[in-house]
């Protein structure tokens, strides 16, 4: 015999979804795509130093609006303003991403236990994105504040920053963290929003891009170190031949 119990009082449920959660997801994805695409462009612009000082100098003048200057020299203010804009984007991205960050020791233990019980590649990828995101929370603002306070860029001035000011220590930590975080992030955005269902192929592409960008960034960093080691103090800005 089945008995039916009628509840005459309305049961209120809280915390079952919220409109802001969906908006935060879209905002996180949008800012993540913006930052990931910027990283791809930024690393290739920076790697023009591998083609020589003249090539890097011309790229900098182009990006800083040198075509609008009577002397052909770019405006460092462009770098400063853009760095401020990117800092705001990073802050916004971090703010909406922190809501998914484990805030308590028990949550970290549950996460590690969960990772040990299952062999799911996307979950492990998310974990590494979490770790690199935590590292970038401290490193990226330092890099952007440096560019805001000293926006002068050039073959000699950039090499001075890397070699004589020991910025290579920052970039050696920043490079792997930002590349891994960005490429995993772009992969997860593509899967999350149904851009592609070919997860296996997309994972391979992300791995290839990670290796490629790490090699490209490392080669560029070495080039700046070699140029910086040949400069004498005080460093004079590069003058094209």
């Amino acid at each position: 015999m089945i008995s039916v119990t009628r509840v005459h009082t309305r049961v209120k449920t809280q915390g079952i979804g919220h409109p802001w959660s969906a908006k935060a997801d879209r905002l996180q994805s949008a800012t993540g795509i913006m930052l990931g695409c910027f990283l791809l462009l930024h690393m290739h612009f920076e790697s023009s130093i591998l083609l020589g000082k003249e090539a890097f100098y011309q790229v900098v003048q182009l990006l800083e609006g040198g075509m609008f200057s009577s002397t052909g020299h770019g405006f460092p203010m462009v770098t400063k303003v853009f760095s401020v804009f990117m800092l705001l984007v990073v802050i916004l991205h971090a703010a909406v991403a922190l809501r998914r960050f484990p805030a308590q020791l028990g949550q970290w233990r549950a996460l590690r236990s969960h990772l040990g019980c299952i062999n799911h590649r996307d979950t492990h990828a998310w974990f590494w994105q979490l770790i690199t995101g935590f590292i970038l929370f401290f490193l990226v603002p330092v890099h952007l504040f440096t560019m805001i306070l000293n926006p002068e860029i050039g073959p000699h001035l950039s090499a001075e920053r890397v070699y004589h000011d020991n910025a290579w220590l920052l970039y050696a930590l920043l490079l792997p963290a930002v590349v891994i975080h960005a490429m995993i992030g772009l992969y997860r955005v593509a899967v999350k929003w149904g851009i592609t269902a070919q997860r296996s192929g997309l994972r391979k592409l992300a791995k290839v891009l990670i290796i490629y960008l790490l090699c490209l960034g490392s080669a560029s960093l070495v080039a700046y170190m070699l140029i910086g080691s040949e400069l004498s103090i005080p460093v004079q800005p590069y003058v094209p031949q």
Side-chain angles (χ1 to χ4, degrees):
M1 182 176 180
I2 300 176
S3 61
V4 178
T5 303
R6 299 183 181 275
V7 179
H8 298 284
T9 58
R10 186 177 179 180
V11 178
K12 296 182 179 181
T13 58
Q14 297 179 353
I16 304 179
H18 194 280
W20 165 244
S21 181
K23 294 179 181 178
D25 274 345
R26 289 193 293 268
L27 191 58
Q28 181 180 349
S29 296
T31 53
I33 292 174
M34 184 184 302
L35 293 171
C37 292
F38 168 74
L39 175 68
L40 290 171
L41 294 174
H42 177 61
M43 292 196 64
H44 284 88
F45 289 145
E46 286 287 342
S47 67
S48 61
I49 193 64
L50 298 174
L51 302 178
K53 296 181 182 180
E54 181 68 21
F56 181 69
Y57 176 84
Q58 294 300 332
V59 169
V60 172
Q61 303 318 308
L62 175 64
L63 295 177
E64 291 187 341
M67 71 287 292
F68 301 109
S69 172
S70 58
T71 61
H73 192 277
F75 303 95
M77 180 59 67
V78 174
T79 298
K80 176 176 291 191
V81 171
F82 192 75
S83 297
V84 171
F85 171 73
M86 293 308 299
L87 180 60
L88 295 176
V89 175
V90 168
I91 292 174
L92 180 60
H93 181 72
V96 293
L98 280 174
R99 75 192 196 282
R100 299 189 182 278
F101 197 89
Q104 299 177 356
L105 181 60
Q107 293 175 336
W108 275 105
R109 289 175 177 172
L111 175 60
R112 293 303 302 271
S113 176
H114 181 66
L115 290 172
C117 294
I118 65 172
N119 185 23
H120 190 256
R121 293 181 179 180
D122 284 7
T123 303
H124 286 270
W126 176 81
F127 175 75
W128 283 110
Q129 192 183 24
L130 183 71
I131 297 299
T132 53
F134 178 78
I135 296 173
L136 294 176
F137 183 79
F138 299 97
L139 298 183
V140 171
V142 175
H143 172 57
L144 290 176
F145 273 120
T146 301
M147 301 311 301
I148 292 172
L149 297 176
N150 184 18
E152 294 287 345
I153 301 175
H156 289 177
L157 298 178
S158 297
E160 177 189 19
R161 182 183 296 114
V162 172
Y163 184 80
H164 291 286
D165 295 342
N166 293 318
W168 66 270
L169 292 169
L170 170 66
Y171 298 140
L173 297 174
L174 181 61
L175 176 62
V178 72
V179 168
I180 293 173
H181 186 84
M183 293 305 102
I184 292 179
L186 290 177
Y187 161 77
R188 295 185 66 243
V189 167
V191 171
K192 179 174 183 176
W193 298 107
I195 298 176
T196 178
Q198 301 296 327
R199 294 196 179 195
S200 178
L202 198 59
R203 275 196 297 266
K204 292 179 181 178
L205 177 61
K207 291 178 181 178
V208 169
L209 285 175
I210 288 174
I211 296 173
Y212 164 68
L213 292 175
L214 286 177
C215 292
L216 184 67
S218 299
S220 302
L221 186 58
V222 170
Y224 286 117
M225 292 284 290
L226 293 176
I227 295 174
S229 65
E230 298 173 352
L231 299 176
S232 57
I233 301 297
V235 174
Q236 299 298 322
Y238 173 79
V239 178
Q241 302 297 326

